[in-house]
Amino acid sequence: MESNTPSRYQGMSIKEFPLSSISARKIVNDLAMNHTGRIRMSTHAKQRMSERCVTLRQILSIFTSKHSRFTEVPHQTAAGDWKFNLQGIAAGDLLEIVAVLKRHEDDPTVYVITVMIK
């Protein structure tokens, strides 16, 4: 009998402190390419995406692009998560994504906080 619970994350496991930009990029890239269910949008991000005509595909494109760059490197928040800003071009728009990486060691999830068109 199949279960409706999501399967355990089988991607890369990175255990380092502090989390480097290179490691954060690897985790986010892996999630965007193989585990899109682990990328969550805040209500605020959904509203801004609607207002600014930004699609989920554009966000995933920036997460997977080798040409996107950190405008704010990963830094630890009071809750122990890693917040970062990633900027890139998708569908002709220069976008900046503010996101938080939670539980990066063994069960990572990315929460998109907001999306801006630069």
Side-chain angles (χ1 to χ4, degrees):
M1 181 182 287
E2 290 186 31
S3 173
N4 288 337
T5 59
S7 63
R8 187 90 175 127
Y9 176 71
Q10 297 296 320
M12 59 183 51
S13 177
I14 295 179
K15 297 181 188 313
E16 70 178 11
F17 186 86
L19 184 66
S20 69
S21 297
I22 293 169
S23 296
R25 182 182 296 277
K26 286 179 184 176
I27 294 169
V28 170
N29 187 298
D30 181 52
L31 293 177
M33 292 182 76
N34 304 313
H35 306 280
T36 55
R38 293 183 170 275
I39 297 176
R40 309 274 187 208
M41 302 290 164
S42 68
T43 304
H44 177 79
K46 289 177 186 176
Q47 291 170 344
R48 296 303 162 262
M49 287 170 64
S50 177
E51 285 174 11
R52 298 168 181 159
C53 299
V54 174
T55 65
L56 178 59
R57 181 172 285 185
Q58 287 174 292
I59 291 171
L60 295 177
S61 174
I62 290 172
F63 282 164
T64 58
S65 173
K66 291 180 171 91
H67 301 291
S68 58
R69 65 182 187 92
F70 285 99
T71 55
E72 190 173 313
V73 296
H75 60 279
Q76 199 165 31
T77 65
D81 304 322
W82 295 91
K83 183 176 177 250
F84 60 89
N85 292 20
L86 197 60
Q87 187 178 78
I89 296 176
D93 293 326
L94 179 62
L95 301 176
E96 185 162 341
I97 301 166
V98 179
V100 173
L101 181 59
K102 294 181 174 280
R103 299 178 308 275
H104 80 280
E105 299 91 1
D106 57 358
D107 191 27
T109 303
V110 173
Y111 287 90
V112 176
I113 307 294
T114 193
V115 178
M116 299 170 274
I117 296 178
K118 293 292 187 165

